[in-house]
Amino acid sequence: MTTCLPVATKPVRRPGVTTVLRHAGIVAITAYCLAPFYWMTVSAFRRPTDQFSLSVLPHQWSVANFMAVFKPDVGFQRALFNSLMVAGSTTALTLLLGTLCAYALARLNFRFKNLAAAAIIATSMFPGISLVVPLLRIFTDIGWINTYQAMIVPSLSFALPLTVWNLTAFFRQLPAELEEAAMIDGCTRGQAFRKVILPLAAPGVFTTAILVFITAWNEFIIALSMVNKKDMQTATVAVSRFTGAHGFDQPYGTQMAAGVLVTVPLVLAVLIFQRRIVAGLTAGGVK
């Protein structure tokens, strides 16, 4: 005859007040950050006749605003190409110059090194609007108004301090013995940098490239000031000057649709590469 022993059950632990408050805080911050993007997306899918509706979801979903954005007379495709051209060129040039500068600050010893590093970070403190007037005067004199370089060169100056400081911290955490071993084997310092250090610093370079591209893609003040031709406008400027689908109505819905088209690629890039971005940003913090 067998007897059934009672099975011991583990007591159910209820979440404490601290856990509940922590989760509530995360939900509140997430909702606060995503609310503008959600409202922009929902407004983009409303019918033009419902564009000022305050309902949480559209009564009837419509893509009329997106179709209006891509009408030939709007020129939004050209604006997207201009943004891609400016952001891509700025990212490539920033990485080329910033990587060399960061390596010099991290590895080489020279006079006024700390002063040079302080000057680089100080330039990032200048507000962009304070540079518009002198840049406009200079670019007018040399004939750069309505050109790509009038938008790329100022964006380069804004992105370089971030690039240099981010990559300097990354290079400093790499052991110097790696370069010394490469130079003992016959490499020059340049070859050691190119064949040994640069591949190891790829996560930091990749993270910096994404941040610089996002910054250059969203730039507005310089692009608005240095360009007055419609076919040279970037996407951010084109959205601000949108005339709407019918030319005489308030272009709220089409502006929201254009905003979604400009924002979605960046959001997808951050979501896809979020682990690399976090790893790259925190890599230089611990030795």
Side-chain angles (χ1 to χ4, degrees):
M1 180 178 179
T2 59
T3 57
C4 297
L5 297 176
V7 179
T9 57
K10 294 183 179 179
V12 179
R13 296 182 60 184
R14 296 183 178 179
V17 177
T18 304
T19 304
V20 173
L21 291 178
R22 185 188 301 120
H23 291 172
I26 294 174
V27 172
I29 293 174
T30 304
Y32 178 79
C33 294
L34 294 181
F37 183 71
Y38 170 78
W39 195 253
M40 180 175 67
T41 305
V42 169
S43 300
F45 282 100
R46 299 185 196 279
R47 294 178 301 178
T49 54
D50 299 335
Q51 60 181 343
F52 293 113
S53 173
L54 299 179
S55 59
V56 178
L57 292 174
H59 297 296
Q60 185 173 346
W61 294 79
S62 171
V63 295
N65 291 321
F66 291 94
M67 297 176 65
V69 168
F70 287 107
K71 283 187 175 180
D73 58 333
V74 176
F76 193 68
Q77 298 94 322
R78 176 71 185 188
L80 288 175
F81 172 78
N82 292 336
S83 287
L84 185 63
M85 186 74 181
V86 172
S89 301
T90 301
T91 303
L93 292 174
T94 300
L95 288 181
L96 177 63
L97 299 176
T99 302
L100 298 175
C101 183
Y103 180 76
L105 290 175
R107 284 290 195 265
L108 304 182
N109 293 319
F110 54 89
R111 295 182 65 184
F112 308 117
K113 175 180 174 180
N114 293 331
L115 181 61
I120 290 173
I121 195 63
T123 56
S124 66
M125 304 300 173
F126 295 156
I129 191 66
S130 66
L131 303 177
V132 168
V133 174
L135 287 176
L136 192 60
R137 176 64 182 273
I138 294 173
F139 290 166
T140 302
D141 292 341
I142 62 178
W144 274 20
I145 299 300
N146 292 319
T147 61
Y148 286 124
Q149 59 265 31
M151 296 180 279
I152 293 173
V153 172
S155 298
L156 195 66
S157 67
F158 296 142
L160 265 176
L162 168 68
T163 303
V164 171
W165 276 93
N166 191 27
L167 291 180
T168 299
F170 206 90
F171 285 137
R172 281 177 177 166
Q173 75 163 355
L174 298 178
E177 289 79 7
L178 294 173
E179 298 156 271
E180 295 172 358
M183 286 188 284
I184 290 175
D185 290 339
C187 290
T188 63
R189 179 173 287 276
Q191 290 173 331
F193 168 71
R194 180 167 52 86
K195 296 182 179 179
V196 178
I197 298 301
L198 200 55
L200 293 175
V205 175
F206 186 78
T207 301
T208 305
I210 294 177
L211 297 177
V212 171
F213 185 86
I214 292 175
T215 302
W217 180 273
N218 291 330
E219 202 285 324
F220 177 74
I221 296 177
I222 297 298
L224 178 67
S225 306
M226 301 303 165
V227 168
N228 52 38
K229 287 185 178 178
K230 185 176 180 179
D231 60 349
M232 290 299 296
Q233 292 176 351
T234 59
T236 53
V237 177
V239 172
S240 69
R241 294 181 175 177
F242 227 68
T243 57
H246 306 287
F248 54 86
D249 57 349
Q250 176 65 31
Y252 181 74
T254 46
Q255 282 182 329
M256 293 298 103
V260 170
L261 294 171
V262 172
T263 308
V264 163
L266 303 182
V267 174
L268 292 177
V270 172
L271 291 177
I272 293 173
F273 301 112
Q274 58 176 329
R275 289 188 177 182
R276 286 181 174 271
I277 293 174
V278 174
L281 289 176
T282 58
V286 180
K287 288 187 177 180

